[in-house]
Amino acid sequence: MNVRALAAPGIGAVKDNWRPIVLIQICFVVFVALFYSLPSLQSLPDRISDFRAAVTRPVFVIGSIWLVSILVPEIAKRLTGQKPIPLTWKDVVLRMVYFAVVGMAVDSLYNWMDVAYGASNAAHGLNYSAVVKKILTDQFVFSPLVSMPLAALTFLYQDSGFSASSSMDRLRRGEFWKRFFPLLMTCWMYFGPVTIAMYCLPVGLIFPVAMTANAAWGIIVVAVGTHGGDVPEGGVT
């Protein structure tokens, strides 16, 4: 494997989409500033918890992930003058299914880690052991075994014209690995730093950070996953 070539699709995706990504980050920075400045905003985590309790958990998880991973990226692209790639109804449905499955899987993972490892940021201070265990599980178990294989299969199916037989033919020719490794490398480059920050944050900021991270990731993962991320020759051997 050529590590530089595997990293190229992720780097290219950020370069091609830097305007909407930066806009999303600016909005988050403004939110954090307001969060610490306005007492009314500091009750937001409690209001979110109350809303989540009022609806079923899957509805909350899927609705929020659709909002930040599909709708927000498209709005950010338009606000920054970046011409969005035309989407067919099949593209939209596939993304909705993909992000819904990933959202539920991530929610289940976080719940399990809280039980297995304990809270990352407890009342008595940062739980360093829990933070390290969560980062390692997130990045080196969940990502390579669940989320990135799912992304590789999803976008391979899309690029195969939504044809199961064409997708199987591509899988037999080894195209899964040509998509998987660039996606995994991109995930590590992006979510490596993000998870370190997220698990160390106060409880009230974890949800906004996760949603902001997923909004930018919604742009990056689609760009890398579509057409195999255009991995240069020598990227996967």
Side-chain angles (χ1 to χ4, degrees), residues 113-135:
M113 290 196 297
D114 280 342
V115 173
Y117 304 144
S120 304
N121 203 326
H124 58 275
L126 195 62
N127 184 342
Y128 292 100
S129 175
V131 169
V132 171
K133 290 176 181 177
K134 288 182 177 182
I135 292 170

Side-chain angles (χ1 to χ4, degrees), residues 9-231:
I11 295 171
V14 173
K15 287 181 177 179
D16 292 343
N17 298 278
W18 70 268
R19 290 190 298 273
I21 291 174
V22 168
L23 176 61
I24 291 170
Q25 306 310 313
I26 290 174
C27 291
F28 171 69
V29 170
V30 171
F31 169 81
V32 171
L34 293 174
F35 181 85
Y36 284 106
S37 301
L38 302 176
S40 59
L41 264 186
Q42 293 170 17
S43 64
L44 182 61
D46 293 332
R47 294 202 295 270
I48 292 174
S49 296
D50 292 341
F51 177 73
R52 181 163 49 190
V55 299
T56 61
R57 193 177 191 95
V59 169
F60 177 83
V61 172
I62 293 173
S64 59
I65 202 69
W66 280 349
L67 174 66
V68 300
S69 298
I70 299 176
L71 184 59
V72 169
E74 293 302 315
I75 293 174
K77 289 177 182 179
R78 284 166 172 79
L79 289 176
T80 55
Q82 180 167 325
K83 186 177 180 181
I85 298 174
L87 298 176
T88 67
W89 68 268
K90 289 184 178 180
D91 295 324
V92 174
V93 170
L94 184 66
R95 290 189 191 183
M96 291 177 71
V97 172
Y98 165 70
F99 283 114
V101 172
V102 170
M104 290 301 299
V106 169
D107 184 63
S108 299
L109 172 69
Y110 285 6
N111 290 337
W112 176 83
M113 290 196 297
D114 280 342
V115 173
Y117 304 144
S120 304
N121 203 326
H124 58 275
L126 195 62
N127 184 342
Y128 292 100
S129 175
V131 169
V132 171
K133 290 176 181 177
K134 288 182 177 182
I135 292 170
L136 293 177
T137 302
D138 190 320
Q139 293 299 293
F140 298 103
V141 178
F142 181 77
S143 293
L145 297 182
V146 180
S147 61
M148 293 304 99
L150 180 59
L153 291 172
T154 296
F155 294 110
L156 184 148
Y157 177 65
Q158 179 182 16
D159 290 344
S160 299
F162 304 95
S163 166
S165 59
S166 179
S167 299
M168 289 302 299
D169 182 59
R170 290 188 177 199
L171 288 173
R172 284 190 290 268
R173 289 188 276 114
E175 189 166 333
F176 171 82
W177 302 109
K178 294 180 180 179
R179 293 168 181 268
F180 170 74
F181 286 115
L183 281 164
L184 181 61
M185 180 66 69
T186 303
C187 176
W188 283 343
M189 291 190 300
Y190 179 78
F191 274 112
V194 167
T195 51
I196 292 172
M198 186 171 64
Y199 290 132
C200 295
L201 285 172
V203 174
L205 285 177
I206 290 178
F207 182 77
V209 168
M211 293 298 97
T212 305
N214 278 299
W217 178 248
I219 297 174
I220 296 169
V221 70
V222 171
V224 176
T226 304
H227 308 304
D230 297 325
V231 182

